[in-house]
Amino acid sequence: MEVRSENVQVRCDKLQAPGIPRTRLQVWFIRVCSSILLWTCLVQLVAVGELWHPKFFPNITNKVPWIPLVPRHVDAVVQSPPPLVPPRNYTSNGFLKVSCNGGLNQMRAAICDMVTVARLLNLTLVVPELDKTSFWADPSNFEDIFNVRHFIDSLRDEVRIVRRLPKKYSRKYGYSPMEMPPVSWSNEKYYLQQILPLFSKHKVLHFNRTDARLANNGIPFDLQKLRCRVNFQGLKFTPKIETLGYELVRILQEKGPFVALHLRYEMDMLAFSGCTHGCSMEEAEELKRLRYAYPWWREKEIVSEERRSQGLCPLTPEEAALVLQALGIDKDTHIYIAAGEIYGGEKRLAALRAAFPRIVSILETQNLNICIV
């Protein structure tokens, strides 16, 4: 016991002996650790200084460009939605009410144009009305298809948009707004010189048709930019439609590669364009009668072959089959006809279906179970 105790005592004495010099290896190790610690503290100090006071260490950060600085307000951007853009303050020259006409694509383009016109003329835009009397006779309102709140809020820095006219300007109170269609394919000068003066007398102007369109070329860049912003940011589908759309895309993708084909070979399209190539005499006459049934379709007597030679006619289903084959589309690929009922029915789809057997037409998509087979 005594010997063991003495051994322990001896080892303790060796550890506490102050007279033993440090080796060079120990000194080098201590210096390296001290340098690393000092540089770590310096880097942290510079980073914190730049985060709270960007100009506090200007010379240091210029000489040490590799120091990664933490982006500011990262947590705020991730955790909370971005704030609304500030509203544009301006004196409104009046209210612009618009009734869009045509298919959904035409109405969407018209909405982009009318927002731009309202911005150009410093007007207050009333949420547009959608066409319910066209060939499609779709009863949907704007709020049934598009997110109204998002439409108003996302464009508030450009134009003031209201859901409806103030009561004093409604027909119920005896007010009759001026109604007119704008001249087709007009540029900004037409609206500034001919439309804007009308608001000095009429506080409300109603564009009862909006298929006129702004000129596609030659208008200022800021107007073109606003049209694009409305189309790609302002017009957002309702959550219900978006959810359905994502679900349909998911189902289609699970079935493998597919092609969505818009033939544009519906009855109203052929009647409007006057393209009757491949149609029988009876069908051509039926399309002509439909063209005359809509007085705002300006062209009545149309030579189909001349229009076709100008490249202004849609491809026939037979021609579409040749194009898909030339593009190398495999015959077993699912092809979904993203359009209305094809004029001529299955008879006109026969050649296309023979080339691509896995075609799903509009009639078959009425049943979702058939659509995803």
Side-chain angles (χ1 to χ4, degrees), residues 273-278 302-310 313:
S273 62
C275 299
T276 59
H277 180 77
I302 300 176
V303 179
S304 176
E305 292 305 318
E306 180 181 341
R307 180 65 61 90
R308 180 176 166 84
S309 65
Q310 296 171 348
C313 289

Side-chain angles (χ1 to χ4, degrees), residues 33-69:
C33 292
S34 301
S35 300
I36 294 174
L37 180 62
L38 289 174
W39 272 106
T40 303
C41 294
L42 179 60
V43 169
Q44 293 295 329
L45 179 63
V46 172
V48 172
E50 280 293 317
L51 182 63
W52 295 101
H53 300 286
K55 298 181 180 180
F56 192 71
F57 296 114
N59 296 328
I60 296 179
T61 54
N62 289 337
K63 294 179 181 179
V64 193
W66 49 268
I67 297 177
L69 301 181

Side-chain angles (χ1 to χ4, degrees), residues 4 43 182 186 238 309 342 360 366:
R4 190 175 300 172
V43 169
S186 301
T238 62
S309 65
I342 301 303
V360 182
Q366 301 299 323

